[in-house]
Amino acid sequence: VKLRLAQYSQRMLDQIAADERIDYDDIHEGLLYLYRDPKRFEAGIKKMKLVQEHGQKQDVLDPDGVVEAEPYFAPVKHKIAGAIYGVTDSSGDSVKFCRQVQAACERMGSKFVLGNGVTRLSARGGKVQSVTLDDGGSLTADLFVLSAGVHSPKIARSVGVRLPIAPAKGYSATFPIKGNGGMKLRIGCVDEELLVAWCRIGDRLRVTSSAEFTGYETTYNEHDLRLIRKLTQDLLPDAAEYDQGAYRACNRPMTPDGPPILGQAGPDNLYINSGHGHMGFTMACGSSRIVADLIDGKKTEIPVEGLTLTSRP
Ligand SMILES: Cc1cc2nc3c(=O)[nH]c(=O)nc-3n(C[C@H](O)[C@H](O)[C@H](O)COP(=O)(O)OP(=O)(O)OC[C@H]3O[C@@H](n4cnc5c(N)ncnc54)[C@H](O)[C@@H]3O)c2cc1C
């Protein structure tokens, strides 16, 4: 279900970026899933077959193939057992993308009200009538789409809808990339040993790690960043200015079975687009299109079984 949504979303993302001429520092060179331990590599290749059967193009690379794909790894080749190369994967700056989508929507007449949170929904006669805002004000509308990340369940509960979404905290670090004689990191990667992911975003290196269940807080300390530090020292020692890092901790909105929750739930005019877990950018554009099609009463381009609240296993 998730792979199908991710593949559909990638098509929608590419289409929106092309239609609206959005430059989001996107790189379409694939992603490398790196293995250090030969046994884990074997197991990874077996798992890969599952996604290959569903039409995802992936190649198996030995250490020489890895260096050919990403010359940056030449000095650390001896640490790598091999990689699975997701040929059609891509990376980019989600914030830059969202800001340009916002600008495109504003050009079409949309209005964004930011910095004034929703405290609750109010329903009457099987319909949501209004939202109450932090400042005590309220907004009425014909239709409501709830996409508040890990806070969606609390808002949904105010009209009796239970959403199985819980926070899983992760860390990200962003460093300025070093000049290195013009050589640039090409390909985004996941270290399958440390479960740390990274990619180049313009002239910055973004490195992310960890999934921890610590409630709704988003604090971090030096100990929390240890996997990011280990990865950069191990595999990318000269790639970036590591003394100039910007750090964040954020909560991923996880569902127990993985896919997000899309479509109508509870009151007739309440739609959900939430619970995208660790793949919210990957699944965003397809999810939004599906929710828009459901609102319009159109047939969705991919099946919604396993995505709506009532059709989950
Ligand atoms: C370390 C890390 C690395 C990640 N890497 C990737 C990756 O490589 N690829 C990928 O696809 N995904 C990745 N993700 C996951 C991705 O960030 C999430 O899936 C995505 O942000 C979820 O989007 P969302 O809009 O549902 O929730 P959020 O991004 O959390 O946004 C929710 C929004 O709702 C607003 N909000 C909350 N409460 C209220 C309220 N009461 N009233 C009004 N507004 C409210 C918030 O201010 C926020 O703007 C990563 C996540 C983490 C933490």
Side-chain angles (χ1 to χ4, degrees), residues 159-302:
V159 288
V161 176
R162 289 178 68 86
L163 297 180
I165 296 173
K169 187 167 77 163
Y171 306 102
S172 92
T174 308
F175 308 99
I177 288 213
K178 273 191 188 168
N180 280 355
M183 183 161 143
K184 278 193 169 169
L185 276 168
R186 261 183 77 213
I187 300 186
C189 298
V190 180
D191 181 322
E192 293 286 339
E193 191 97 18
L194 298 178
L195 294 178
V196 173
W198 66 96
C199 68
R200 180 166 65 80
I201 298 180
D203 54 6
R204 294 167 298 148
L205 171 66
R206 166 75 45 82
V207 192
T208 63
S209 79
S210 308
E212 296 169 4
F213 295 103
T214 60
Y216 289 82
E217 55 88 15
T218 52
T219 57
Y220 65 87
N221 58 37
E222 189 52 39
H223 181 70
D224 297 325
L225 303 173
R226 67 196 179 283
L227 295 177
I228 290 177
R229 302 263 188 250
K230 182 163 171 37
L231 181 281
T232 52
Q233 280 159 17
D234 256 17
L235 294 185
L236 302 167
D238 289 321
E241 308 287 357
Y242 292 119
D243 56 346
Q244 295 174 37
Y247 304 97
R248 295 186 71 174
C250 292
N251 282 317
R252 304 174 184 89
M254 309 296 292
T255 58
D257 54 340
I261 300 165
L262 307 180
Q264 189 271 334
D268 290 347
N269 60 345
L270 176 62
Y271 286 76
I272 313 295
N273 185 2
S274 202
H276 295 74
H278 65 126
M279 289 174 66
F281 189 30
T282 313
M283 299 191 287
C285 294
S287 299
S288 308
R289 178 59 193 265
I290 287 171
V291 173
D293 284 345
L294 291 172
I295 289 169
D296 285 344
K298 286 190 195 156
K299 188 172 171 356
T300 54
E301 289 181 62
I302 63 166

Side-chain angles (χ1 to χ4, degrees), residues 2 6 34 89 191 249:
K2 242 169 113 175
L34 286 180
D89 290 351
D191 181 322

Side-chain angles (χ1 to χ4, degrees), residues 47-122:
K47 269 197 272 172
M48 174 191 84
K49 302 236 156 73
L50 186 74
V51 290
Q52 272 182 335
E53 279 162 19
H54 288 83
Q56 194 68 6
K57 187 161 166 35
Q58 297 197 315
D59 291 342
V60 175
L61 302 182
D62 63 11
D64 287 327
V66 172
V67 172
E68 199 178 311
E70 178 52 274
Y72 237 94
F73 292 131
V76 294
K77 190 174 90 171
H78 59 284
K79 297 184 181 177
I80 296 169
I84 294 172
Y85 180 31
V87 181
T88 56
D89 290 351
S90 53
S91 61
D93 185 337
S94 56
V95 173
K96 214 169 164 183
F97 181 81
C98 288
R99 292 215 167 111
Q100 289 177 72
V101 169
Q102 178 183 350
C105 292
E106 283 170 340
R107 284 195 296 277
M108 292 180 224
S110 299
K111 190 175 165 210
F112 288 77
V113 179
L114 302 174
N116 197 358
V118 170
T119 54
R120 55 172 291 116
L121 305 172
S122 302

